[in-house]
Amino acid sequence: MTKLKLDDVIEDKPVKMTIEFPAEVYSDLQDYAAVISEGHKDVKLKPEKLIVAMISKFMATDREFKKLRRKVQVRPTASG
């Protein structure tokens, strides 16, 4: 099996947001959830659960964001 960029979905205390997606993006999320769920017959992952993990992964790998965040120190990070 190939290594997906999104490999774990972390549960945390949620903050509720309401957003709209283009239908094509939501369809892709459904397909991604189906692919992840394929190896886990007892778990059917909902597409909505992928969004936070995807955004977190994106920000964690954005070097320019990290650099500018340190420079500006917008707010304290969760780890420090």
Side-chain angles (χ1 to χ4, degrees):
M1 181 168 190
T2 63
K3 178 74 171 153
L4 299 174
K5 286 189 178 252
L6 185 64
D7 55 4
D8 57 347
V9 180
I10 300 170
E11 290 290 332
D12 198 0
K13 184 178 179 180
V15 175
K16 188 164 186 105
M17 294 178 67
T18 302
I19 58 175
E20 294 182 16
F21 291 95
E24 185 177 344
V25 172
Y26 187 71
S27 178
D28 289 345
L29 282 171
Q30 290 176 309
D31 292 346
Y32 207 104
V35 169
I36 289 176
S37 297
E38 183 71 26
H40 308 285
K41 294 184 185 297
D42 56 330
V43 176
K44 179 78 171 157
L45 187 62
K46 294 182 180 181
E48 296 81 13
K49 293 292 186 180
L50 299 175
I51 298 165
V52 171
M54 288 176 161
I55 293 171
S56 295
K57 185 77 150 183
F58 172 82
M59 289 190 302
T61 58
D62 187 331
R63 292 180 184 172
E64 189 67 17
F65 170 69
K66 286 182 176 183
K67 182 174 82 175
L68 292 172
R69 185 182 213 182
R70 282 191 302 270
K71 187 175 180 180
V72 174
Q73 274 303 300
V74 176
R75 65 174 179 79
T77 61
S79 62

